[in-house]
Amino acid sequence: MPDRPDESPTESAAAPERRPRLVSAQDVDDADDVLFAHPPRVVRRWLCECGVDYPCTDVRFALLVKSSAEAGE
């Protein structure tokens, strides 16, 4: 009886371990095509002085107040 579950008496020590393939050759080719078609790109964004994306909620509210005041004139 084996001491550990991975020690099986029917397995020989000289036999190479055969694991099933998780992906096919076609899957690898398709993955290469997707990676070629979707390269990374640099994205620029504006940040508010408070550290969040511009316009932050305070700026949006201030712009709403100003546009409402200008529309009422």
Side-chain angles (χ1 to χ4, degrees):
M1 175 164 232
D3 293 333
R4 297 183 359 206
D6 60 346
E7 293 177 354
S8 173
T10 59
E11 292 179 6
S12 68
E17 226 178 276
R18 298 214 73 204
R19 293 183 183 176
R21 289 191 58 143
L22 297 177
V23 296
S24 67
Q26 183 63 48
D27 291 335
V28 174
D29 290 341
D30 291 344
D32 286 338
D33 292 341
V34 169
L35 292 173
F36 179 77
H38 295 267
R41 61 186 174 107
V42 176
V43 178
R44 298 176 113 195
R45 19 175 239 179
W46 287 15
L47 292 178
C48 188
E49 189 64 33
C50 64
V52 298
D53 288 338
Y54 185 86
C56 67
T57 54
D58 291 341
V59 170
R60 288 181 191 203
F61 182 73
L63 291 171
L64 176 67
V65 169
K66 286 191 59 116
S67 65
S68 297
E70 290 171 359
E73 290 178 356

